[in-house]
Amino acid sequence: MGALNLSCYYHRSHQQHHLFQSHSPPATNFASVPIRRSRESIYPTHPLTFHQKRNHSNLLVLATTMAANVQEDLPLALDSTSEPPPVFDGTTRLYISYTCPYAQRVWIARNCKGLQEKIKLVPIDLKNRPDWYKEKVYPANKVPALEHNNEVKGESLDLIKYIDTNFEGPSLYPDDTIKKEFGEKLLSYTDTFYKSVTTSFKGDGFDDAAAAFDYIEDALSKFDDGPFFLGQFSLVDIAYAPFIERFQPYLLDVKSYDIKVGRPKLAAWIQEMNKNDYFNQTRRDPKELVESYRKRYLVPVNSLVS
């Protein structure tokens, strides 16, 4: 669960991929990628209770880490003609696809921990993947995969937890037991969320998708100490961000369905996520996302006729 094989098939043109966009459509729309950083958006400005102080301290560290944002030049994706990296040479590597939402989760977590120089990105071209990736790196032949301590681990939800607990940097998960339990419930729901929404892509019905986004709205209403799923920014936000990034523009463009209407908590969450530079570094052009989903879900009828 959480890794993607051939379903992460979108084509990427590195030369046309822009991490940062200068235009700023409405802030509550995932189609915008405003380039700004707000420490106040990371942690609450109102007084904290005693039980919130420890998590608040972690978020202060996260805000400081984000303020020291590391800009990086992204390497070109490796394909069947590329030589393999020197595997198991002591370097920690994160194998991703720039277009895969599951890999994007782990990429975001790496960035938020400030590990750009500790964990090297190795992008793989999934449409023309090198044979050595399966043979020498990860037999499952999927992304994401993390090479660390002479081992390779997979599955995106497992990897974001692994990076959070095994590497330096601000904690991305709360200590509070109630929040932890709710966080695990939300992480377990991600697959159901994905399936419920994408089912609506294949027909005219919105019941499953609407119910899924209503679930998200209710989840975002549970804690009142911040705009995120667990109040403060966490792995749960990282787990959902790549999918809502894709679902919002597609449903709006193709189905004329605005996921924010009647869901003020979700609208506020999107607005706050738009302020996270480390998430913005991993994002793609919304038009490209919409087009990729069009190709995937709106297959012309005549193409099915043999």
Side-chain angles (χ1 to χ4, degrees):
M1 181 178 72
L4 200 63
N5 196 348
L6 291 177
S7 56
C8 273
Y9 64 93
Y10 319 107
H11 177 68
R12 176 180 189 273
S13 173
H14 178 76
Q15 289 78 8
Q16 296 178 351
H17 176 57
H18 299 286
L19 285 176
F20 301 101
Q21 301 178 21
S22 58
H23 61 284
S24 295
T28 55
N29 191 335
F30 251 145
S32 68
V33 188
I35 303 310
R36 61 184 180 274
R37 185 181 301 107
S38 172
R39 289 184 60 170
E40 288 75 14
S41 71
I42 303 301
Y43 54 87
T45 55
H46 59 271
L48 296 173
T49 66
F50 173 80
H51 297 289
Q52 295 168 344
K53 289 184 183 295
R54 183 171 183 181
N55 286 335
H56 179 59
S57 177
N58 285 336
L59 269 295
L60 282 171
V61 176
L62 176 59
T64 302
T65 301
M66 292 180 67
N69 194 351
V70 177
Q71 306 289 333
E72 62 178 330
D73 293 327
L74 299 182
L76 290 171
L78 303 182
D79 61 18
S80 61
T81 66
S82 304
E83 293 295 320
V87 182
F88 305 131
D89 64 346
T91 302
T92 300
R93 297 182 176 88
L94 175 59
Y95 296 88
I96 66 166
S97 163
Y98 288 124
T99 58
C100 174
Y102 295 97
Q104 187 181 358
R105 285 172 167 172
V106 192
W107 186 7
I108 298 168
R110 162 202 182 254
N111 290 359
C112 287
K113 296 282 284 187
L115 298 170
Q116 290 89 334
E117 296 183 1
K118 301 282 187 180
I119 301 178
K120 181 179 179 180
L121 285 183
V122 182
I124 300 294
D125 182 348
L126 295 183
K127 296 185 71 173
N128 185 24
R129 69 190 72 191
D131 292 337
W132 53 256
Y133 182 64
K134 179 179 181 180
E135 296 168 358
K136 297 183 178 182
V137 179
Y138 192 38
N141 207 22
K142 301 176 182 179
V143 294
L146 182 70
E147 177 189 339
H148 183 235
N149 289 341
N150 294 319
E151 292 183 333
V152 176
K153 304 176 184 295
E155 304 299 331
S156 64
L157 294 181
D158 292 338
L159 288 180
I160 62 175
K161 292 179 181 179
Y162 181 85
I163 285 178
D164 189 38
T165 56
N166 289 275
F167 290 86
E168 61 186 17
S171 174
L172 298 176
Y173 215 48
D175 293 325
D176 181 88
T177 301
I178 294 177
K179 289 190 173 186
K180 271 189 173 181
E181 290 177 353
F182 190 59
E184 291 302 315
K185 178 180 178 181
L186 291 175
L187 291 176
S188 297
Y189 180 71
T190 55
D191 276 357
T192 300
F193 174 69
Y194 174 82
K195 292 173 184 176
S196 297
V197 177
T198 54
T199 295
S200 72
F201 293 175
K202 304 172 184 178
D204 298 326
F206 286 102
D207 290 347
D208 289 342
F213 286 113
D214 287 343
Y215 183 97
I216 296 300
E217 179 72 11
D218 290 342
L220 287 166
S221 304
K222 185 172 180 64
F223 301 106
D224 61 3
D225 58 333
F228 301 103
F229 282 101
L230 303 184
Q232 302 309 299
F233 182 79
S234 73
L235 295 178
V236 179
D237 303 290
I238 291 173
Y240 280 92
F243 297 98
I244 296 179
E245 176 193 358
R246 287 158 173 78
F247 295 159
Q248 185 193 12
Y250 180 80
L251 287 171
L252 189 61
D253 184 87
V254 176
K255 303 289 188 177
S256 299
Y257 181 72
D258 189 343
I259 65 174
K260 304 190 306 298
V261 172
R263 301 184 181 99
K265 296 292 185 180
L266 177 57
W269 180 85
I270 291 173
Q271 184 177 39
E272 290 302 313
M273 288 301 298
N274 280 340
K275 299 174 184 178
N276 187 318
D277 284 353
Y278 285 139
F279 169 47
N280 288 338
Q281 288 178 11
T282 71
R283 292 169 67 175
R284 303 189 62 75
D285 184 342
K287 292 181 180 179
E288 181 184 346
L289 295 176
V290 171
E291 183 60 25
S292 68
Y293 271 10
R294 279 181 177 275
K295 291 179 180 178
R296 186 175 181 182
Y297 292 103
L298 300 181
V299 180
V301 174
N302 57 9
S303 70
L304 300 178
V305 179
S306 58

